[in-house]
Amino acid sequence: MDAVMTLQINITPNGRMRLPADVRKRLGLAGGGAVYLEETEDGVVLRTANQAVAKAQALAKQYTGGNPNASVDAFLCRRREDSGE
């Protein structure tokens, strides 16, 4: 989805909120599921599990240069070498 959509979601006194059915369907949550809440300086972002994984993979790719063989151990080794340990 390229367009930004803004919806008003009301929160009940006990903290529940309801995502409209068409939004749940588009996000693959029609049968239920989980969303991840990220609090940012600009507000709140809700992501599906797939969206959260895709974001994490994109961040990892940034830090590994896209190298599929990158590992935490290799990263730590490079950091130790860079710091002169």
Side-chain angles (χ1 to χ4, degrees):
M1 172 194 294
D2 293 329
V4 175
M5 182 187 345
T6 301
L7 298 171
Q8 178 177 324
I9 305 292
N10 297 316
I11 300 174
T12 65
N14 67 359
R16 292 177 188 231
M17 60 184 185
R18 183 184 149 292
L19 291 176
D22 59 325
V23 173
R24 292 193 316 270
K25 185 176 180 181
R26 266 195 313 278
L27 296 176
L29 300 170
V35 293
Y36 297 87
L37 184 142
E38 178 182 353
E39 188 175 351
T40 71
E41 290 180 13
D42 293 326
V44 174
V45 176
L46 294 178
R47 288 191 177 86
T48 64
N50 287 342
Q51 291 167 333
V53 167
K55 182 178 182 190
Q57 288 172 333
L59 284 171
K61 190 174 185 178
Q62 265 185 336
Y63 292 105
T64 63
N67 179 357
N69 297 319
S71 69
V72 172
D73 290 334
F75 171 78
L76 293 174
C77 183
R78 282 192 307 277
R79 294 291 293 160
R80 281 193 292 274
E81 289 170 0
D82 291 346
S83 68
E85 286 184 30

